[in-house]
Amino acid sequence: MATPMFVRFSNFRNLLRINNNVPGITSNPIQCLESIYRLSSTQEPSSMTNEVELTSFSKIMQNYLKRIKANEELMKVETEAYEKGKRHLANMMGEDPENFTQNDIDRSIEYLFPSGLFDSKARPIMKHPKDVLPLQKTGQFFTDGKPCHSFFYTLYPFYYETLHKITEKLKNLEDLEDNLIKSTGTFPNKNKFDTYGSMWKSKVQLEQLLNERLMDHHYEYFIKTMERLVNHPLSANEKEFLLKYRNILSQNINKINILSVSYNEDGKPYVKVFPCQRKSSIATVIVWGKGTGKITINGKDISYFQDMQSRQQIIFPLIFTNMVEKVDIEATVENGGPTGQSGAIRWGIAWGLRSFVTPEVIENMKIAGLLTRDWRRRERKKFGQEGARRKFTWKKR
């Protein structure tokens, strides 16, 4: 046993070019690692130069590579099916398949499959698999099992890499500001990034962009860090980077006829909304700016409504926009019951608050349904039936 071990050790020293007279290794580290792997492996030298076999990895690495390979095969099959379907669709529309873009596909789908469905998820779509299928992380490890990303052991590598980029951007802006002060002797003119017409991406959108599942405190810290960058006097220089993490608000916001603010004799701003309708109730709502949170309904406070649900309907728009103690509400309502009256006042308050909040808040109000008028009414009774939908009991005899 000793002789083979001595021969193996001698071969190892000769392979690493270790001289007994001059101790040390004359070859580079990469050659040494290849030599060590060749001595401890039964593979042929030719296979080492191409790719290490899958069986030489651990089970975790094997499963990871199998998932990556399966995902690549799935994307390949789906991409071929997408390209084939796109060519068929172009031929059906009488257009050139080579110059058939995604906009042409959407326009063709809308023409061939007209749908009255309001939910976008229920409408037929045809998009590239990379825009539909979830992304799969690739290339996280080298062949020796070491992670590729420098932030791999933080468990959120792309998240912390983004924070690192934000810090670098902020430092570059500070250096630019210092250089301008040294060269001119005065503070530079403010060139801040204009956030009007855009808002930060939501937590779900950020997770899709980074391809990582984040916690709530991660998203909050990310927004605070981005706000620091936006508040810098020269943040407009990083406009392209900031827009990557912001959503452009829909152009419909600019088209909405926001009520103009009027002023009384004392210079207090107000907005009057009329008519505010819900069922058979009709209300007139006046939203006063620079208020203290006072609510008046037909000369009474919010106790005008006896049930708690109606009171919550009145307060909800103020809480949602964070304007509880910043405006006063004066409303007069007639006809209908508490549900109809509270719904009419709620819509009038939300409609009037648009003149006192930012476009971002207006977009959030639109998403929450505060700006949509509720046209539902009580369905009338039908002839030959017991009620609107209820039927009389049918008896055979």
Side-chain angles (χ1 to χ4, degrees):
M1 184 68 184
T3 302
M5 286 295 296
F6 175 77
V7 174
R8 188 178 182 88
F9 181 74
S10 300
N11 294 335
F12 176 75
R13 291 176 61 84
N14 295 332
L15 187 60
L16 296 182
R17 301 175 184 176
I18 298 178
N19 193 345
N20 293 329
N21 298 327
V22 182
I25 301 177
T26 59
S27 58
N28 56 47
I30 297 178
Q31 293 177 346
C32 296
L33 292 175
E34 292 179 353
S35 303
I36 295 172
Y37 192 91
R38 188 159 50 247
L39 285 175
S40 59
S41 178
T42 58
Q43 296 181 2
E44 295 295 331
S46 59
S47 63
M48 278 295 300
T49 57
N50 297 329
E51 184 178 1
V52 181
E53 293 182 358
L54 188 63
T55 56
S56 61
F57 297 141
S58 63
K59 292 184 178 180
I60 298 178
M61 182 64 67
Q62 293 178 22
N63 295 332
Y64 170 74
L65 294 177
K66 287 179 180 179
R67 290 196 302 269
I68 295 300
K69 185 177 180 180
N71 182 73
E72 293 176 351
E73 293 177 353
L74 176 62
M75 291 294 295
K76 182 179 179 181
V77 173
E78 294 294 336
T79 303
E80 292 177 355
Y82 169 78
E83 296 294 337
K84 185 178 180 180
K86 185 176 73 172
R87 297 185 69 87
H88 282 303
L89 185 60
N91 293 331
M92 291 173 60
M93 301 299 296
E95 300 187 14
D96 183 15
E98 300 298 333
N99 300 323
F100 204 59
T101 62
Q102 184 62 44
N103 292 332
D104 298 332
I105 294 176
D106 297 338
R107 175 175 49 82
S108 303
I109 293 294
E110 185 178 359
Y111 173 77
L112 295 174
F113 302 97
S115 176
L117 300 174
F118 292 98
D119 193 351
S120 59
K121 296 182 179 180
R123 300 173 185 172
I125 61 173
M126 181 179 177
K127 295 185 179 295
H128 197 278
K130 66 180 181 180
D131 299 330
V132 179
L133 299 177
L135 297 176
Q136 179 75 23
K137 293 183 180 180
T138 58
Q140 297 186 58
F141 307 96
F142 293 110
T143 56
D144 57 355
K146 295 182 179 179
C148 301
H149 207 286
S150 57
F151 293 96
F152 175 79
Y153 291 106
T154 62
L155 302 181
Y156 305 95
F158 296 104
Y159 170 76
Y160 284 103
E161 182 183 16
T162 305
L163 293 180
H164 183 69
K165 290 181 180 179
I166 298 173
T167 305
E168 288 184 345
K169 300 287 185 183
L170 188 59
K171 186 177 183 303
N172 293 336
L173 292 179
E174 292 176 352
D175 294 341
L176 178 61
E177 184 180 14
D178 294 340
N179 294 333
L180 292 175
I181 294 175
K182 291 180 181 179
S183 59
T184 60
T186 59
F187 287 96
N189 296 328
K190 288 188 177 182
N191 189 20
K192 295 181 64 174
F193 173 75
D194 188 10
T195 59
Y196 181 84
S198 62
M199 60 185 300
W200 296 116
K201 290 184 178 295
S202 62
K203 179 173 175 290
V204 177
Q205 294 173 335
L206 183 62
E207 290 177 343
Q208 294 176 353
L209 182 63
L210 301 179
N211 196 19
E212 291 177 347
R213 296 292 299 273
L214 303 177
M215 306 294 289
D216 292 338
H217 66 274
H218 289 151
Y219 178 73
E220 294 176 0
Y221 186 79
F222 172 81
I223 296 299
K224 291 181 181 179
T225 309
M226 293 297 289
E227 288 292 344
R228 286 185 57 194
L229 182 61
V230 170
N231 294 330
H232 194 277
L234 303 177
S235 59
N237 295 331
E238 302 295 342
K239 180 179 179 180
E240 183 177 356
F241 176 78
L242 292 171
L243 288 177
K244 183 179 178 182
Y245 302 97
R246 294 185 69 87
N247 291 329
I248 304 299
L249 301 180
S250 60
Q251 300 298 327
N252 296 331
I253 293 181
N254 300 329
K255 299 179 181 179
I256 294 178
N257 185 18
I258 298 178
L259 301 176
S260 59
V261 179
S262 303
Y263 296 88
N264 61 357
E265 298 177 354
D266 299 333
K268 191 173 182 180
Y270 71 93
V271 174
K272 184 177 181 179
V273 184
F274 175 83
C276 308
Q277 299 177 350
R278 172 75 173 95
K279 292 185 177 181
S280 59
S281 302
I282 301 178
T284 300
V285 178
I286 301 177
V287 181
W288 295 90
K290 299 180 181 179
T292 59
K294 183 179 179 181
I295 298 177
T296 305
I297 303 173
N298 289 348
K300 301 180 180 180
D301 55 8
I302 198 172
S303 61
Y304 171 82
F305 294 103
Q306 301 296 329
D307 57 321
M308 189 61 62
Q309 182 178 0
S310 299
R311 298 181 183 180
Q312 292 175 352
Q313 292 290 322
I314 301 298
I315 301 177
F316 178 72
L318 301 174
I319 297 177
F320 188 85
T321 56
N322 195 21
M323 300 286 287
V324 176
E325 298 180 353
K326 299 179 182 178
V327 295
D328 292 336
I329 306 299
E330 182 180 348
T332 57
V333 61
E334 59 183 6
N335 301 332
T339 302
Q341 291 185 356
S342 61
I345 297 175
R346 165 182 158 158
W347 183 85
I349 294 174
W351 203 254
L353 286 175
R354 298 177 307 155
S355 304
F356 299 96
V357 296
T358 62
E360 295 183 3
V361 179
I362 297 177
E363 179 68 13
N364 293 333
M365 293 172 66
K366 181 180 178 182
I367 295 174
L370 289 173
L371 303 180
T372 303
R373 178 174 290 182
D374 191 352
W375 294 101
R376 295 177 300 172
R377 298 180 66 88
R378 180 182 177 87
E379 188 174 353
R380 77 171 188 87
K381 178 187 177 301
K382 274 75 173 184
F383 176 76
Q385 298 180 184
E386 189 175 353
R389 300 292 179 89
R390 185 178 177 86
K391 308 296 189 299
F392 290 113
T393 303
W394 179 80
K395 295 182 180 181
K396 185 175 182 180
R397 293 179 181 86

